[in-house]
């Protein structure tokens, strides 16, 4: 995948940017800052891969940056800088911005809207040309990378998932679940978590880790 991004960014630099000023903006889906407390490798992996791509392109440190995008309103702070906030904070802009949504592999809503609508509209306001390389989608370079990863691990022990433990629709919510639901506004749960609890019951839902921590904190405060 490093080769994919390198080649696609290089095409833009050679055919559209040419000798004009530019900046490559690597962006990835943001995560709550809580991820830092539990040493989630995702953040470092995004930055490391961005640096590897920039090195392969021969970019100077001033030619690229890392930003984050697509955060949700769940009542928790997210990793920054947000890509739109970054753009607004700049006092001097190059002639071209090349947006590289490095954590995504297909053209879906968080690329087609967050980048191709929001970022592009802001670039128009700023008088800067917007560029985005195509996403891998079904590109052979992505398929080859996936196949190579599978081949690398195919001799390892197979681990099974058990979705039936969390997807029984007939499980009724308990009194505890109903109590949690009555406090969801205060807890600021994501809507999908509220619906899961309402449908299946708190004890039958594998909660996102940050939600578990919020509930534990709430329980301590009420004692």
């Amino acid at each position: 995948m490093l080769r994919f991004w390198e080649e696609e960014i290089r095409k833009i630099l050679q055919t559209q940017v040419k000798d004009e000023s530019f900046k490559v903006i690597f962006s990835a889906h943001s995560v709550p800052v809580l991820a830092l407390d539990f040493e989630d490798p995702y953040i470092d992996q995004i930055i490391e891969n961005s640096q590897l791509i920039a090195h392969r392109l021969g970019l100077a440190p001033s030619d690229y940056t890392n930003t984050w995008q697509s955060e949700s309103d769940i009542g928790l702070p997210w990793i920054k800088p947000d890509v739109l906030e970054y753009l607004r904070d700049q006092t001097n802009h190059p002639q071209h911005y090349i947006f590289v949504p490095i954590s995504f592999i297909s053209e879906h809503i968080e690329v087609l809207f967050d980048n191709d609508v929001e970022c592009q509209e802001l670039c128009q306001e700023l008088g800067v040309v917007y560029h985005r390389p195509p996403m891998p989608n079904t590109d052979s370079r992505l398929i080859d990378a996936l196949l190579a990863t599978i081949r690398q691990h195919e001799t390892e022990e197979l681990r099974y998932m058990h979705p039936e433990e969390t997807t029984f629709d007939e499980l009724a919510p308990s009194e505890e679940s109903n109590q949690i639901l009555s406090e969801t506004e205060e807890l600021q749960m994501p809507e999908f978590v509220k619906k899961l609890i309402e449908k299946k019951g708190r004890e039958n839902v594998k909660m996102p880790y940050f939600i578990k921590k919020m509930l534990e904190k709430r329980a301590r405060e009420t004692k």
Side-chain angles (χ1 to χ4, degrees):
M1 289 310 299
L2 295 177
R3 179 168 65 89
F4 173 88
W5 290 118
E6 174 199 355
E7 292 175 352
E8 296 303 323
I9 296 169
R10 192 182 301 280
K11 288 178 187 177
I12 295 173
L13 290 172
Q14 292 178 343
T15 64
Q16 300 179 59
V17 174
K18 298 180 180 178
D19 295 326
E20 297 182 335
S21 61
F22 71 92
K23 191 153 201 170
V24 175
I25 300 180
F26 293 101
S27 64
H29 200 300
S30 188
V31 292
V33 294
L34 191 64
L36 293 172
D37 297 334
F38 299 95
E39 300 180 352
D40 189 325
Y42 169 76
I43 299 165
D44 289 337
Q45 289 169 348
I46 290 295
I47 294 174
E48 180 182 352
N49 277 277
S50 302
Q51 292 172 340
L52 289 171
I53 295 167
H55 177 73
R56 293 167 71 125
L57 288 165
L59 301 182
S62 59
D63 291 335
Y64 70 96
T65 191
N66 281 97
T67 64
W68 305 89
Q69 66 175 77
S70 309
E71 66 181 60
S72 302
D73 183 11
I74 60 171
L76 291 173
W78 289 68
I79 298 295
K80 299 288 185 180
D82 173 79
V83 62
L84 297 175
E85 293 173 358
Y86 169 83
L87 292 173
R88 294 190 183 100
D89 288 344
Q90 302 310 298
T91 55
N92 295 303
H93 298 280
Q95 293 166 287
H96 301 261
Y97 277 128
I98 304 173
F99 292 83
V100 183
I102 190 174
S103 68
F104 304 106
I105 61 171
S106 64
E107 259 110 0
H108 56 76
I109 190 64
E110 288 172 315
V111 172
L112 297 176
F113 182 77
D114 295 7
N115 294 108
D116 290 353
V117 174
E118 291 188 321
C119 289
Q120 186 167 11
E121 287 181 350
L122 185 51
C123 281
Q124 291 173 348
E125 292 179 23
L126 299 172
V128 181
V129 181
Y130 171 90
H131 304 274
R132 176 182 65 78
M135 303 303 291
N137 293 311
T138 58
D139 189 280
S140 61
R141 289 165 290 184
L142 170 61
I143 305 304
D144 290 344
L146 292 173
L147 181 59
T149 302
I150 293 171
R151 293 299 186 203
Q152 182 181 355
H153 298 282
E154 64 182 346
T155 59
E156 297 177 5
E157 181 182 357
L158 182 63
R159 290 179 293 176
Y160 291 91
M161 301 297 291
H162 298 282
E164 69 276 7
E165 294 179 1
T166 56
T167 56
F168 282 152
D169 291 342
E170 61 269 29
L171 294 176
S174 65
E175 183 177 345
E176 178 192 5
S177 298
N178 289 327
Q179 181 180 354
I180 292 172
L181 281 170
S182 68
E183 299 173 347
T184 51
E185 184 173 352
E186 182 177 351
L187 290 170
Q188 294 180 289
M189 282 189 187
E191 192 63 31
F192 77 92
V193 176
K194 296 180 190 178
K195 290 180 178 178
L196 278 173
I197 292 176
E198 185 175 16
K199 187 175 185 180
K200 303 174 183 177
R202 163 69 179 86
E203 65 282 2
N204 300 309
V205 174
K206 290 186 177 179
M207 306 283 282
Y209 195 82
F210 68 90
I211 292 294
K212 290 181 182 178
K213 288 298 178 183
M214 290 168 67
L215 292 174
E216 290 172 4
K217 180 180 179 182
R218 171 64 176 163
R220 289 195 298 269
E221 291 174 349
T222 55
K223 287 183 179 179

